[in-house]
Structures are given as C-alpha cells and as structure tokens.
Amino acid sequence: TLIAGFKCQDGFVIAADTAITVNNTVFAGSKMHLFRGPKNSPYKMVIACSGGITIAHSAIEKISERVGDVASKLNGIKILEITDIVEEIVADLWKRNVYPYLRDQIGDPPVFNLIVGIEVKDEFSLLISDQDNVAPIDSFAFQGSGFEVATSLVHTLIESPANSVLTFPVSVGAHVAIEVLRIAKLYG
C-alpha cells in the first residue's frame, strides 16, 4: 500500500495504488474516497487510506458522516472544522481500537493512516494522520510501504525546500504522483 499527498500552487493531489492486502491475500480495490457537500454548503474532501482496510474505512465513514452533518446544520463548514473532526475521529479510533492491541499484545493491531485533502470555496488544506496524530502537509507526504523510496524520489525529482508548497500546478502534480507511485511500487 502506498498513498500520497501533494500540496500544489492551486490545490492538492492525492494518489494511491490499488493493491489491498488482507491477511495474505492481495486484491485490487480503491483506497481513495471523494465526498462533496450539498449546494448550500459546498466542500470537497478526498481521503486516501493505508493500513487495516476495515478500520480505515470505519474512520472514513465516521469522518464523512460527521462532516456532512456539521455542514448541513451550519449551512456551511470551514476547513478548520473539518480538520478538528478528522483529528477527533482518528484519535478516538486509535484509542479504542489500536492501543488495546498494543497494550495487551493480542495480535496484530488494526493500524491505519490517512491523507485527507479538503477544499472549501477557494481554500484548500492537506492533512496526514500518523498513528493518533493529524498534521498539515505543507508540501508532500506518503504513507504505507514504499514511503521511503517515494520520499527519496520526490526529493530527487523536485528541488523544493522542505515544508514549502510545491511550485507547480495540480496538473503537473498529478503526473508527478503517477510516476512516483509507479517507481515506488517497482523498487519499494
């Protein structure tokens, strides 16, 4: 599994491979989910997941439902409110579902990580979850197997200072994402 997020001049790019592993079985499936708000409360949210597919989908479902509820009740939603919802749900799922496995050593914990892209009006944000923490992505980030290869590759391809918005548009970011995922899967 490899998911990626790029913050570009004019938006964000989120990408993922299609290999989903459950136990020892690998099959093709989507790790990315798109949500849009109603006309009276427009927003766009793209979530990619890595790790345990069941718990990751639970997180995505809870986030999308809560964001939808807040957006419809408030007749609008802000990026900060969506960020707060993502932080709360990720922390809660780790606290209730992952940490007990780790504490009691009762098998492989159902770990998951997310990359979340948010657009409200003409503003956008990109977030990454790493265990129970959620942080903004200032330039690019990866989660999953192969993230070391992908990160190194981006540093080689793009001479951009660390923690800065990438200086190319989304159209170029999409091509970079495709190439990085392709090469990382070959060599990662």
Side-chain angles (χ1 to χ4, degrees), residues 4 18 64 81-82 97-98 101 109 121 128 137 142 153 183-184:
T18 58
S64 67
E81 293 167 320
I82 296 173
N97 297 291
V98 179
Y101 275 81
K121 299 182 182 169
I128 186 168
I137 298 171
F142 301 95
L153 184 58
I183 293 170

Side-chain angles (χ1 to χ4, degrees), residues 27-117:
F27 59 95
S30 178
K31 298 177 199 169
M32 293 183 17
H33 307 272
L34 170 65
F35 304 95
R36 294 182 184 273
K39 290 185 189 242
N40 67 334
S41 177
Y43 66 86
K44 179 172 69 172
M45 184 171 59
V46 180
I47 305 175
C49 60
S50 68
I53 198 75
T54 303
I55 192 165
H57 281 180
S58 176
I60 292 166
E61 183 178 311
K62 289 173 188 292
I63 291 166
S64 67
E65 286 177 7
R66 179 96 51 85
V67 168
D69 289 347
V70 170
S72 63
K73 289 177 185 170
L74 296 178
N75 207 15
I77 193 162
K78 296 179 177 139
I79 287 176
L80 185 57
E81 293 167 320
I82 296 173
T83 301
D84 289 345
I85 290 168
V86 172
E87 288 174 346
E88 180 185 328
I89 289 171
V90 166
D92 181 62
L93 284 172
W94 273 82
K95 178 182 173 187
R96 289 187 306 110
N97 297 291
V98 179
Y99 290 136
Y101 275 81
L102 296 172
R103 180 191 65 232
D104 300 336
Q105 299 178 350
I106 53 175
D108 292 331
V111 299
F112 72 98
N113 291 297
L114 307 175
I115 293 181
V116 182

Side-chain angles (χ1 to χ4, degrees), residues 104-170:
D104 300 336
Q105 299 178 350
I106 53 175
D108 292 331
V111 299
F112 72 98
N113 291 297
L114 307 175
I115 293 181
V116 182
I118 306 163
E119 183 179 324
V120 178
K121 299 182 182 169
D122 291 331
E123 296 181 35
F124 59 92
S125 180
L126 199 55
L127 307 171
I128 186 168
S129 75
D130 186 11
Q131 296 186 359
D132 63 349
N133 299 304
V134 175
I137 298 171
D138 294 321
S139 57
F140 62 89
F142 301 95
Q143 285 285 18
S145 60
F147 83 93
E148 296 98 344
V149 171
T151 301
S152 176
L153 184 58
V154 170
H155 283 295
T156 302
L157 290 173
I158 304 165
E159 293 185 20
S160 178
N163 299 324
S164 67
V165 175
L166 299 175
T167 57
F168 49 73
V170 165

